[in-house]
Amino acid sequence: MQNFFYKNPTEILFGRGMIAEIASRVPTSAPVLFLYGGGSIKRNGVYEQVKTALKQHRLVEFAGIEANPLYETCLTVVEVVKRERIGFVLAVGGGSVLDAGKFIAATACFTGADPWDILRSGGSAIEAALPVGTVLTLPATGSEANGNSVISRRATQEKLHFTSNYSFPVFSVLDPETTFTLPTKQVRNGVVDAFAHVMEQYMTYPADAPLQDRLAESVLQTLVETGPVTLAEPRNYEARASFMWSATLALNTLVGCGVPQDWATHMIGHELTAFYGLDHAETLAIVMPGVWQHKLAQKRAKLEQYGRRVWGVASAEAAIAKTEEFFSSLGMPTRLSAHKISAEDAAAKVSARFAQRKVAFGEHGDIGPEAAATILRLRA
Ligand code: NZQ
Ligand code: ZN
């Protein structure tokens, strides 16, 4: 096991009715930015619950954070934050709203000339941020308990992420009942995204970290068990609760402690969203089997362990097949052709981006422009 620091400062408030608990945790000393998306929270009662909980607070509302939140929109909100002297950001919604909240909170305190540097630097340019609290309504990203954020820039068709210790939420409410209204597609996306998060921290090579392996496999097994149930029974509280907690543990930095990590699937996937507008999880279901296929020799030991422990199959090849079958069973396509995207076009665009940025990913740092192109061609 490699050396590591482990600190997760986010308090989780989990369960029915927990939105009421935020009243004592949100400071009253300054106005609060109440940030949300396209209106789902107005249709499922979450908006009213937040307003009731914070009736003693001065709230400044901003609606309209998009899925794959836009840099341009966030900068508009930063103006509001500065003008209204906001002291706390409350982000209410899915990963996109939470990520936007983190970026706004960091940009409001940023002293550099160009806020895009926050993303260009991967987060190291952040030296302060307003405190952020969240009410999560879509289990998927883990944004509720990590310091990550992913922001898209419309003008340049770019999608970049940052991570910072200043960007962990101070608290996150996870009430499974707030997810009952999710469209099937978003539940499917959430299961696949959480599954992929575990895999990015697990599907590498044996690293003498048996506990991290078992933790990762537990989250995977729970997703395999509860994913189909929660899709079929949207109001099954227990299934939603297991799914929601699994998605948080998948990316709250615990399973990745002291182990090699991959993240090539996510980085290629972000480019597919930037160029073609696919949902985040849709990109992962396409790319991940390709990364494994391309890196079969290096990943064989872990693929076999995963196959044996999670699916009861003996070979790495069978483990990949089982994963694709699982995604398909959730109604998630695993090929570019399902989205009418040419693999050649995607390979050319993504490899050009990687080359321009001089980046390479994967646990060996060897998934650069050429490997990305090869992987995408495998997923025609
Ligand atoms: O905008 P509203 O009206 O709220 O509707 C949203 C949105 O249209 C809707 N929704 C959310 N909760 C709902 C609901 N509809 C009905 N009932 C509810 N309870 O769902 C739609 C999608 O929401 P979004 O927040 O975009 O989805 P998700 O949570 O999957 O977030 C995706 C974004 O997170 C980034 C992705 O790249 C993408 O930009 N990621 C963030 C990560 C992180 N911060 O750690 C890691 C991930 O790998 C990922 O990259
Ligand atoms: Zn993801």
Side-chain angles (χ1 to χ4, degrees):
M1 212 188 299
Q2 303 158 8
N3 292 1
F4 62 85
F5 294 96
Y6 180 68
K7 180 180 177 186
N8 189 318
T10 305
E11 180 188 19
I12 299 294
L13 316 174
F14 192 97
R16 279 192 187 97
M18 292 298 261
I19 291 174
E21 297 290 326
I22 67 177
S24 60
R25 288 169 173 78
V26 178
T28 47
S29 49
V32 175
L33 177 72
F34 177 9
L35 189 70
Y36 54 99
S40 70
I41 67 163
K42 289 211 164 154
R43 293 186 291 274
N44 61 12
V46 170
Y47 176 86
E48 283 307 322
Q49 288 186 60
V50 170
K51 291 282 276 192
T52 304
L54 299 185
K55 56 181 183 297
Q56 308 290 353
H57 294 68
R58 279 173 292 159
L59 299 183
V60 176
E61 286 185 34
F62 190 98
I65 297 297
E66 317 75 3
N68 303 307
L70 288 177
Y71 178 69
E72 289 87 348
T73 308
C74 289
L75 291 190
T76 309
V77 188
V78 171
E79 295 301 313
V80 177
V81 167
K82 289 183 175 167
R83 192 174 63 234
E84 303 286 339
R85 300 179 182 278
I86 296 289
F88 190 93
V89 177
L90 183 69
V92 183
S96 292
V97 177
L98 274 54
D99 284 6
K102 293 175 182 182
F103 180 66
I104 291 161
T107 304
C109 301
F110 187 61
T111 52
D114 181 2
W116 190 246
D117 284 343
I118 290 177
L119 287 142
R120 224 184 260 125
S121 73
S124 60
I126 298 175
E127 290 175 349
L130 293 175
V132 177
T134 89
V135 177
L136 181 74
T137 64
L138 199 178
T141 60
S143 187
E144 66 278 12
N146 66 40
N148 307 338
S149 164
V150 191
I151 300 294
S152 298
R153 191 168 187 172
R154 191 187 348 230
T156 52
Q157 277 194 310
E158 284 176 282
K159 182 173 185 182
L160 292 182
H161 75 281
F162 69 85
T163 184
S164 168
N165 284 338
Y166 295 104
S167 301
F168 278 78
V170 291
F171 66 76
S172 285
V173 178
L174 280 62
D175 178 347
E177 284 189 344
T178 66
T179 74
F180 287 177
T181 51
L182 279 168
T184 310
K185 188 184 185 203
Q186 296 300 339
V187 180
R188 171 204 77 171
N189 284 356
V191 174
V192 171
D193 194 19
F195 199 88
H197 292 157
V198 177
M199 286 302 185
E200 299 279 24
Q201 304 164 85
Y202 168 87
M203 192 52 73
T204 56
Y205 51 86
D208 291 318
L211 178 61
Q212 285 87 329
D213 280 3
R214 296 282 187 193
L215 287 170
E217 289 151 4
S218 301
V219 178
L220 296 172
Q221 284 170 313
T222 309
L223 288 167
V224 168
E225 280 168 22
T226 57
V229 180
T230 205
L231 260 179
E233 303 170 24
R235 301 185 74 85
N236 178 333
Y237 179 88
E238 296 304 335
R240 270 294 137 103
S242 291
F243 166 41
M244 199 167 203
W245 189 225
S246 299
T248 301
L249 287 183
L251 197 52
N252 74 342
T253 74
L254 182 63
V255 304
C257 281
V259 297
Q261 302 194 12
D262 183 337
W263 295 103
T265 295
H266 267 71
M267 296 306 133
I268 298 172
H270 286 172
E271 299 304 326
L272 293 180
T273 298
F275 285 121
Y276 303 104
L278 265 52
D279 289 355
H280 172 63
E282 289 175 332
T283 71
L284 307 175
I286 294 167
V287 177
M288 200 165 66
V291 171
W292 294 355
Q293 197 73 48
H294 182 61
K295 290 286 173 194
L296 198 57
Q298 284 121 312
K299 290 184 186 289
R300 183 172 292 280
K302 285 304 280 282
L303 277 165
E304 287 176 357
Q305 176 180 311
Y306 156 66
R308 209 168 46 246
R309 292 185 183 175
V310 175
W311 295 110
V313 298
S315 72
E317 290 80 359
I320 299 176
K322 278 286 183 191
T323 308
E324 280 205 61
E325 276 169 36
F326 175 56
F327 292 163
S328 300
S329 76
L330 301 171
M332 177 65 94
T334 62
R335 294 274 169 183
L336 287 164
S337 54
H339 300 279
K340 301 196 170 34
I341 294 172
S342 143
E344 275 311 319
D345 187 63
K349 285 189 163 125
V350 174
S351 61
R353 267 280 159 81
F354 280 16
Q356 177 201 345
R357 294 201 197 113
K358 299 187 174 55
V359 290
F361 306 99
E363 64 272 21
H364 302 290
D366 57 358
I367 301 191
E370 280 168 30
T374 306
I375 288 162
L376 287 166
R377 286 195 194 100
L378 288 171
R379 306 308 298 164

